[in-house]
C-alpha cells in the first residue's frame, strides 16, 4: 500500500529536540503538519509557535493531547513526564510517538507499553540513531549475511553534555549518560545482533569523573546475548571537540565501521567563524570545523518519521515500538545495578516476545566432515593455507592449498 494520509500533530515540548522533529517532519514526507504545540512555559510556547507557524498553543497538557484537530501526539518532554503524557494521549485515542528513553526505568516502561496496547493506539519509539542512512544500510548488510554471525558490536556516543538543565538531575532524567545516550547505543546493538535474540546479562562501569552532578558522566557497558554475542557501549558527557558517534560490527565473515558525525567528509577551517550554528554539540566556530551537510538526515530523523507515519497509514508496526523502548529500559536497569554491584547482573524482562526456545549459539564453521575451520589465508607468495581442527582428535593442523610452481 502506498501511504497517502496527511497527519496533524500535537507536539509536546519546545526544546531542541522539538526543533529537530519539526524540521524532519516538514523535510521528508512534507504533508504532515504540526497543528498544536505544548510547553509548560507560556513565553516559550509562544516563541516556538511563531517560529514554526503553529496555529494552536497550550500550556495545559490535557487540553493539548485532546486537541480536536490533531490525530497524533509526539512526546518530546523531559523523561519524568513521558508516562503522564503518553497515558493521556492513549486515553484520548491518539497515535502517540515518544522520544528516547521511553521511561525512567523498566517497570515504568512496561506499564506504559501495557496501557497503550490496552488502549489500542499506535505507538512508536523515536530512537533516531537506528534510522541513520548509514545504520539502515549496515542493518541490511547484516540481515543479508554479509558479515556472517554477529559476534560483537560497539557503539560510542560522547559529547560535552546535554542542552537542558533537567538532563543533569536524575530526579527528572532517571540517570546520567547511560539513560541519555546509552539507550541509543544499546538499541543500535540490538538491531545488529537481532531483536529476537534475548539479552541475558550486563556488566557495566559508570562513574562521575568531571561534572559536579549526582549522576554518571561516563560509562562503559557490555550486554551479553543468548547466542553469546556481546554488544559494547561507551558514553561520555565530558568529551571535547563536538559529538562523537561511531558504531562497529564484527562478524564471522566481515566487519562494519561507521562514523556518523565527527568525520563527515566536510572539513572547514575559518579564522573568523561561522557567525552562527555549526553542528549539534560543536564547541567552537573558528579553527578546523566539521559541519554536517544535512544534520536532520544524518541523525536519522527523516527516515524515522517516514517509517512512523507510513506504519500508521499501513496499519503496521514501525521499526521501533514501545516494546523496544521497554527492552532498552530493562537493559539500562541492569547496567545501573551492575555499576553498583561491580558484577554481571541479569536483564529482567517479565515480558519477552523474542525467541523463547533459545537462540542458536555462535559456533565454529565446518570445513569438511572431519575438520572445523579455524582460519583461511592467502600468503604473499601466492599460496593458500588453512588451519583446521580435527573433529575426532582435537588436533590443530594446517594444510597448504593451490601452491605455486
Amino acid at each position: 500500500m502506498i501511504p497517502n494520509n496527511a497527519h496533524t500533530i500535537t507536539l509536546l515540548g519546545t526544546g531542541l529536540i522539538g526543533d529537530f522533529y519539526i524540521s524532519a517532519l516538514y523535510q521528508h514526507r512534507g504533508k504532515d503538519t504540526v497543528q498544536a504545540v505544548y510547553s509548560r512555559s507560556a513565553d516559550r510556547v509562544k516563541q516556538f509557535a511563531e517560529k514554526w507557524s503553529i496555529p494552536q498553543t497550550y500550556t495545559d497538557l490535557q487540553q493539548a493531547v485532546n486537541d480536536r484537530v490533531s490525530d497524533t501526539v509526539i512526546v518530546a518532554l523531559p523523561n519524568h513526564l513521558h508516562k503522564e503524557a503518553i497515558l493521556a494521549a492513549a486515553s484520548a485515542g491518539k497515535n502517540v510517538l515518544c522520544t528516547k528513553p521511553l521511561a525512567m526505568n523498566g517497570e515504568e516502561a512496561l506499564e506504559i507499553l501495557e496501557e497503550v496496547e490496552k488502549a489500542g493506539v499506535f505507538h512508536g519509539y523515536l530512537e533516531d540513531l537506528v534510522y541513520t542512512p548509514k545504520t539502515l544500510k549496515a542493518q541490511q548488510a547484516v540481515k543479508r549475511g554479509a558479515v556472517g554471525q554477529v559476534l560483537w558490536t560497539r557503539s560510542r556516543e560522547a559529547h560535552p553534555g546535554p542542552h537542558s538543565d533537567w538532563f543533569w538531575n536524575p530526579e527528572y532524567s532517571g540517570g546520567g549518560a547511560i539513560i541519555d545516550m546509552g539507550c541509543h547505543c544499546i538499541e543500535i546493538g540490538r538491531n545488529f545482533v537481532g531483536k529476537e535474540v534475548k539479552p541475558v546479562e550486563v556488566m557495566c562501569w559508570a562513574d562521575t569523573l568531571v561534572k559536579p552532578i549526582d549522576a554518571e558522566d561516563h560509562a562503559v557497558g557490555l550486554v551479553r546475548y543468548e547466542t553469546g554475542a556481546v554488544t559494547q557501549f561507551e558514553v561520555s558527557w565530558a568529551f571535547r571537540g563536538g559529538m562523537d558517534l561511531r558504531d562497529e560490527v564484527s562478524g564471522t565473515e566481515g566487519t562494519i565501521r561507521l562514523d556518523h558525525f565527527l568525520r563527515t567528509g566536510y572539513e572547514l577551517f575559518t579564522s573568523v567563524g561561522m557567525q552562527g550554528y555549526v553542528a549539534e554539540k560543536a564547541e567552537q566556530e573558528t579553527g578546523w570545523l566539521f559541519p554536517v551537510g544535512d544534520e536532520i538526515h544524518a541523525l536519522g530523523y527523516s527516515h524515522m518519521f517516514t517509517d512512523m507515519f507510513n506504519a500508521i497509514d499501513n496499519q503496521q508496526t514501525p521499526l521501533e515500538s514501545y516494546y523496544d523502548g521497554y527492552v532498552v529500559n530493562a537493559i539500562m536497569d541492569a547496567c545501573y545495578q551492575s555499576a553498583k554491584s561491580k558484577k554481571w547482573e541479569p536483564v529482567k524482562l517479565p515480558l519477552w516476545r523474542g525467541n523463547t526456545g533459545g537462540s542458536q549459539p555462535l559456533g565454529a564453521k565446518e570445513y569438511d566432515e572431519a575438520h572445523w575451520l579455524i582460519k583461511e589465508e592467502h600468503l604473499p607468495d601466492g599460496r593458500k593455507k588453512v588451519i583446521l581442527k580435527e573433529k575426532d582428535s582435537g588436533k590443530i593442523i594446517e594444510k597448504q592449498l593451490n601452491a605455486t610452481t
Side-chain angles (χ1 to χ4, degrees):
M1 179 189 299
I2 298 175
N4 57 9
N5 297 330
H7 295 276
T8 53
I9 300 158
T10 292
L11 175 66
L12 307 181
T14 55
L16 179 70
I17 195 66
D19 283 312
F20 277 145
Y21 283 176
I22 293 183
S23 294
L25 287 164
Y26 289 173
Q27 180 187 79
H28 215 198
R29 272 177 50 111
K31 56 194 173 185
D32 308 307
T33 59
V34 178
Q35 146 71 20
V37 61
Y38 160 83
S39 174
R40 292 166 292 169
S41 165
D43 290 339
R44 176 59 182 158
V45 78
K46 181 176 182 293
Q47 295 170 2
F48 194 90
E50 289 176 352
K51 175 181 179 180
W52 292 105
S53 301
I54 301 172
Q56 184 66 53
T57 64
Y58 295 98
T59 55
D60 182 283
L61 181 65
Q62 290 295 330
Q63 291 179 4
V65 298
N66 285 283
D67 180 89
R68 291 183 300 169
V69 178
S70 67
D71 59 72
T72 301
V73 172
I74 296 178
V75 179
L77 295 168
N79 300 348
H80 70 295
L81 300 176
H82 288 185
K83 177 183 173 181
E84 177 188 0
I86 292 169
L87 298 191
S91 179
K94 303 290 182 75
N95 306 313
V96 57
L97 315 179
C98 183
T99 190
K100 62 79 191 171
L102 179 60
M104 298 281 277
N105 52 57
E107 181 179 357
E108 184 178 89
L110 180 56
E111 182 181 350
I112 289 171
L113 174 63
E114 291 174 340
E115 289 299 319
V116 295
E117 291 186 338
K118 187 187 302 182
V121 298
F122 178 92
H123 51 92
Y125 179 51
L126 300 180
E127 178 40 81
D128 58 289
L129 291 185
V130 305
Y131 286 97
T132 77
K134 293 177 183 177
T135 305
L136 292 174
K137 195 77 171 179
Q139 288 178 35
Q140 289 177 3
V142 170
K143 288 176 181 177
R144 291 172 181 168
V147 301
Q149 295 175 298
V150 174
L151 306 172
W152 167 84
T153 75
R154 174 192 178 215
S155 187
R156 171 176 171 79
E157 180 169 358
H159 56 59
H163 299 282
S164 300
D165 55 0
W166 64 266
F167 275 104
W168 302 88
N169 187 340
E171 181 180 350
Y172 303 129
S173 63
I178 293 175
I179 202 164
D180 177 32
M181 302 184 295
C183 58
H184 287 305
C185 303
I186 288 167
E187 188 61 356
I188 291 168
R190 283 189 70 226
N191 273 272
F192 285 131
V193 170
K195 290 183 180 181
E196 73 283 357
V197 183
K198 191 173 185 179
V200 177
E201 59 183 350
V202 169
M203 171 64 79
C204 183
W205 163 83
D207 206 347
T208 309
L209 301 179
V210 179
K211 309 294 185 180
I213 57 173
D214 296 325
E216 76 284 355
D217 57 17
H218 286 78
V220 176
L222 299 174
V223 183
R224 192 178 71 81
Y225 286 78
E226 199 170 38
T227 60
V230 171
T231 63
Q232 173 181 331
F233 69 84
E234 306 166 16
V235 292
S236 171
W237 273 354
F239 177 77
R240 306 309 301 269
M243 183 158 66
D244 188 9
L245 295 178
R246 283 180 282 164
D247 303 312
E248 296 179 47
V249 183
S250 178
T252 56
E253 305 297 333
T255 302
I256 297 172
R257 298 179 65 188
L258 306 174
D259 194 331
H260 300 280
F261 224 70
L262 275 187
R263 293 296 181 269
T264 62
Y266 176 12
E267 300 182 7
L268 165 70
F269 178 85
T270 172
S271 62
V272 295
M274 292 282 284
Q275 311 305 316
Y277 182 80
V278 176
E280 185 182 358
K281 306 296 192 305
E283 293 192 273
Q284 63 189 50
E285 61 168 326
T286 59
W288 278 108
L289 305 177
F290 308 98
V292 180
D294 186 342
E295 196 167 27
I296 300 301
H297 187 66
L299 290 175
Y301 294 111
S302 300
H303 285 90
M304 177 179 73
F305 280 117
T306 296
D307 176 53
M308 292 294 164
F309 285 104
N310 285 355
I312 292 172
D313 292 346
N314 293 329
Q315 298 182 358
Q316 297 174 340
T317 301
L319 176 61
E320 294 289 319
S321 72
Y322 282 7
Y323 175 76
D324 298 300
Y326 148 71
V327 174
V328 171
N329 265 120
I331 294 173
M332 291 192 293
D333 286 352
C335 290
Y336 281 114
Q337 185 60 36
S338 175
K340 292 178 181 178
S341 70
K342 315 297 184 186
K343 300 177 181 178
W344 285 94
E345 293 289 348
V347 178
K348 297 177 181 178
L349 290 166
L351 175 65
W352 172 247
R353 293 173 177 169
N355 292 341
T356 55
S359 298
Q360 179 68 33
L362 300 172
K365 183 177 180 180
E366 191 175 56
Y367 181 73
D368 57 29
E369 291 184 358
H371 299 90
W372 297 110
L373 177 65
I374 294 178
K375 185 181 180 184
E376 186 176 37
E377 64 179 327
H378 291 273
L379 301 176
D381 61 6
R383 290 179 299 144
K384 183 178 180 181
K385 182 173 74 174
V386 292
I387 299 176
L388 308 171
K389 180 177 181 179
E390 295 179 348
K391 291 183 179 180
D392 291 339
S393 68
K395 183 179 179 181
I396 296 176
I397 64 172
E398 65 178 64
K399 288 186 176 182
Q400 307 293 330
L401 305 174
N402 299 327
T404 58
T405 57

